[in-house]
Every structure is written in structure tokens, then in C-alpha cells.
Amino acid sequence: MARDILFSGIQPSGQLNIGHYFGAVKNWLRMQEDFDCMFSLVNLHAITVRQDPVALRKRSLDFVAAYMACGIDPEKSIIFAQSDVPEHSELMWLLSCHTYMGELERMTQYKDKIAKHTDNVNLGLFSYPVLMAADILLYQTKAVPVGADQKQHLELARDLANRMNNAYGKLFTQPEPYIPSTEDGGRIMSLLEPEKKMSKSDENAGNYIALLDEPNVIRKKLKRAVTDTDTVIRYDREHKPGVSNLLTLLSGATGKPIAALEVDYAGKGYGHLKTDTGEAIVALLEPIQANFHHLRNDETELTRVMEQGAEKARIRAHSTLNKVKKAMGLI
Ligand code: TYM
């Protein structure tokens, strides 16, 4: 029996960090066995903010190597660059004509981005969620594993699927988000400012742990992580965001539930928690980093994986796009 389709993607901008790992990639790995998976390097999304073309190309290969180093297997899953499948952009236009300005104006990520990039408030930033909906709907996707910050975008994709299906007959599968709970890593917070999300575009590298950070850098970053003036190791997102984030990271890296960690750390100090979290993350990332360096050395193979992925993706994309164009009366 054909398996349900899973689609997800990461923008090749900044550095992959443990927020992406816990929020998205961990679920990708878990779901890879049960779904027909497509993992995209969403480079068309990345250019909504200025990119250096040479760095973007290099980073795209870094990201493919990182997907594979984490355990995404190109023999089981399709790995491809969004820009290699022009149907994404074409479906986006068709969906744009069914998307209301008000829906896009409400998007919190758009509001955050225009506040941050005041010198480059471009149309792509505004219509970004429509491209994301096209990514998903193009493949008749059933499952979309993402972090909590993508929830609003997923809702738009679902609304557009409904709207189009109601207008033209059944064109798209209704996608379902798979978002880990906050305790499980759906929203990993910044180390120095735990009220805000850990982000790959943060100017201060002390705020995030990159997947490729050296072990000593990881240890140091965790030692500096902001906690609070209290001394109790307890999970409480609202009043103890820093400590709660450390508990989430430690739990994610060791597999031990937060409630059990609270018991283990009763009476212990924050220093202890930070050291152990650092060691657990180092242990988690060490094999990934070793795999990465090995894979990244072979650009021919990485390019082959992307070409093979794009070829498979194009066949699927073509089939949905044709159906949509026909239904809309485009000859
Ligand atoms: P992006 O590139 O910002 O992030 C990639 C994935 O990582 C998750 N994530 C986090 N999860 C937990 N805590 C964090 N601090 C954290 N930071 C990032 C994101 O939720 C995401 O799942 N628009 C998307 C990319 C995209 C996409 C798609 C995803 C484009 N088209 C289609 C799914 C399906 C984005 O900007 O992700």
C-alpha cells in the first residue's frame, strides 16, 4: 500500500542549530520509516532576505550533508532543492490568486521579519507563506513535521487546500502538522534571552548551539546560558524560561522525561544542570558531526543526491500542477 506523503524543509540560511534538530529533524528521523518522505532545502524561501550567492550555494551543500549526517537516508527519502523544481513557484502563483491580503498581514513571522529588515521589506517576505503552502500542497502531503513557529503557516496551507478543493473539486490532500509539545522541543529558546526563540539568524552566536559547534564551544555556551535568581530546578516556562529550556534540551538529548530530571536534580545547583546538559548535547552531536565531515568532503555525491531527489520530485510536482491548471481552466 502506498504510504502517506510527508514534506518538510529548512531554509539554508545561517547555521543549522539544535532548535531545528529538536523541533523538526528529530521527527523527520522518527517518521522516515513510516512515511514517503520529501525533505527540501527551501532556498527560494531563504532569498526573501539578502544572501551572498557564493555563500548560499556552499551552505546549501552543507545543509544536504547535515540532513544526511543526522540520519536522513537518500535511498529512503527524497532530498532536493526547492529551486530545482519550478512547479513550486508556479503553484504559488495559482494559490496567490486565492489568498487574501488580510490573511498574510496577520502572519506573525512576517511582522517580525519586516521589523528586523526595515531596509528590505520585499514582496517575497509578504507572500512567503503562500510559497510554503505550495511546497506542501504540490506533493499531496499528509504530514508536515515542523516546530511550533510554523503553526500559523500550516493553518494557511490547510485553509488554501480547503478553499481550492471547494472551488474546483478535490485537488489537494489536507496536510496535518506534526509539532512537538514545547517540553519535547517544539520551541527551543535562546540561551541568553530565553524569552525568545533560538534562531539561526541571531547575530549573537551565544544564543544558539549550532549543530557543528565544537564540543568546547557547546560547553561554554551552556555555562553562560541565562537561568534565574531562584535556585530550584523545576520546569516552569512562564516563570523560569531559562531553566525550563535547559531541562528541555537535557531531556531531548538523553531521552529522559523532564519530570524524572526534576527528581534527579532536586537539591542540585544550576551549574550541575548546565554541565550535564552540555555533555549530553556534545554526546548527541559528536556522531552527527563526524558523519557530516565525512559526507561534506564528497561534493559529487551530494550533488548526485540532490539531482536524483529533484528528478523524483519533479515527476510528482508535475502531476499535481497539471491537475490544478486543468481544473482552473488554464490551457
Ligand atoms: P526554518 O528554516 O526557520 O526552520 C526549520 C525547521 O526548524 C524549526 N525550528 C525550530 N523548532 C523548535 N525550536 C526552534 N527554536 C526552532 N527554530 C526553527 C521550524 O519550525 C522548522 O520546522 N518556513 C519554514 C521552512 C519551510 C517549510 C516548508 C517547512 C518552507 N516550506 C514546507 C515545512 C513545509 C522555515 O522558515 O523554517
Side-chain angles (χ1 to χ4, degrees):
M1 223 179 77
R3 288 175 305 167
D4 284 339
I5 292 170
L6 176 155
F7 183 98
S8 198
I10 300 183
Q11 298 184 61
S13 53
Q15 293 195 59
L16 266 179
N17 68 47
I18 50 164
H20 306 117
Y21 185 83
F22 289 123
V25 177
K26 208 173 164 188
N27 260 343
W28 297 6
L29 299 173
R30 190 175 61 77
M31 296 167 87
Q32 183 173 222
E33 305 307 323
D34 300 324
F35 287 83
D36 180 355
C37 294
M38 309 190 64
F39 298 115
S40 186
L41 195 83
V42 287
N43 50 2
L44 297 175
H45 279 98
I47 59 168
T48 50
V49 300
R50 288 281 169 272
Q51 301 287 339
D52 166 17
V54 176
L56 178 60
R57 187 162 314 160
K58 179 191 161 294
R59 209 182 308 116
S60 299
L61 292 180
D62 292 346
F63 273 53
V64 176
Y67 282 11
M68 289 164 65
C70 288
I72 301 301
D73 178 352
E75 297 312 314
K76 288 186 188 153
S77 300
I78 295 177
I79 302 176
F80 73 104
Q82 187 185 30
S83 62
D84 276 340
V85 184
E87 283 84 354
H88 287 248
S89 310
E90 197 172 347
L91 180 60
M92 180 203 177
W93 177 257
L94 306 180
L95 296 179
S96 293
C97 298
H98 296 78
T99 309
Y100 304 114
M101 301 288 283
E103 287 178 302
L104 296 179
E105 278 159 1
R106 279 199 296 275
M107 294 288 164
T108 52
Q109 193 162 305
Y110 163 70
K111 290 189 222 165
D112 291 349
K113 285 225 168 140
I114 59 169
K116 211 166 144 195
H117 302 277
T118 45
D119 56 335
N120 184 17
V121 180
N122 64 65
L123 181 58
L125 274 182
F126 186 64
S127 55
Y128 178 114
V130 189
L131 179 59
M132 182 161 160
D135 298 340
I136 296 167
L137 301 183
L138 193 53
Y139 298 105
Q140 304 298 339
T141 303
K142 183 83 188 181
V144 189
V146 284
D149 60 335
Q150 298 301 315
K151 189 165 180 268
Q152 207 182 16
H153 293 162
L154 252 297
E155 275 158 16
L156 178 73
R158 287 169 58 82
D159 287 347
L160 283 173
N162 267 338
R163 196 169 300 158
M164 297 292 283
N165 287 349
N166 285 337
Y168 302 105
K170 181 147 180 6
L171 293 175
F172 300 117
T173 302
Q174 182 73 251
E176 297 287 341
Y178 281 70
I179 300 176
S181 67
T182 313
E183 291 98 290
D184 278 338
R187 192 171 171 80
I188 299 291
M189 309 309 278
S190 145
L191 296 179
L192 299 174
E193 297 167 75
E195 313 72 36
K196 68 176 208 193
K197 187 187 79 164
M198 184 179 283
S199 161
K200 57 170 135 48
S201 51
D202 208 308
E203 286 116 41
N204 184 349
N207 273 326
Y208 58 80
I209 294 170
L211 238 52
L212 299 176
D213 273 345
E214 303 269 341
N216 275 337
V217 173
I218 296 174
R219 293 184 181 107
K220 218 178 278 166
K221 285 184 179 177
L222 277 157
K223 284 223 169 84
R224 292 200 194 119
V226 166
T227 46
D228 53 42
T229 51
D230 188 14
T231 52
V232 188
I233 297 178
R234 177 169 54 85
Y235 186 90
D236 178 346
R237 279 274 167 185
E238 195 185 338
H239 302 104
K240 299 170 74 66
V243 172
S244 303
N245 198 37
L246 291 176
L247 283 168
T248 303
L249 293 175
L250 182 57
S251 168
T254 58
K256 208 162 186 183
I258 288 180
L261 291 174
E262 286 176 333
V263 174
D264 287 356
Y265 285 87
K268 291 186 182 160
Y270 289 158
H272 214 110
L273 175 65
K274 289 179 179 186
T275 307
D276 290 356
T277 306
E279 291 311 323
I281 291 178
V282 166
L284 171 78
L285 295 185
E286 251 171 0
I288 294 176
Q289 295 183 354
N291 283 342
F292 173 84
H293 293 301
H294 172 70
L295 291 159
R296 186 62 183 85
N297 267 333
D298 191 350
E299 289 202 357
T300 315
E301 173 59 8
L302 295 175
T303 312
R304 188 198 65 80
V305 164
M306 297 242 274
E307 277 169 5
Q308 171 190 291
E311 216 168 287
K312 291 184 188 161
R314 275 195 294 263
I315 295 170
R316 297 177 178 200
H318 186 73
S319 149
T320 298
L321 188 68
N322 259 358
K323 196 161 89 171
V324 180
K325 284 166 79 173
K326 212 166 165 188
M328 290 177 71
L330 299 168
I331 46 170

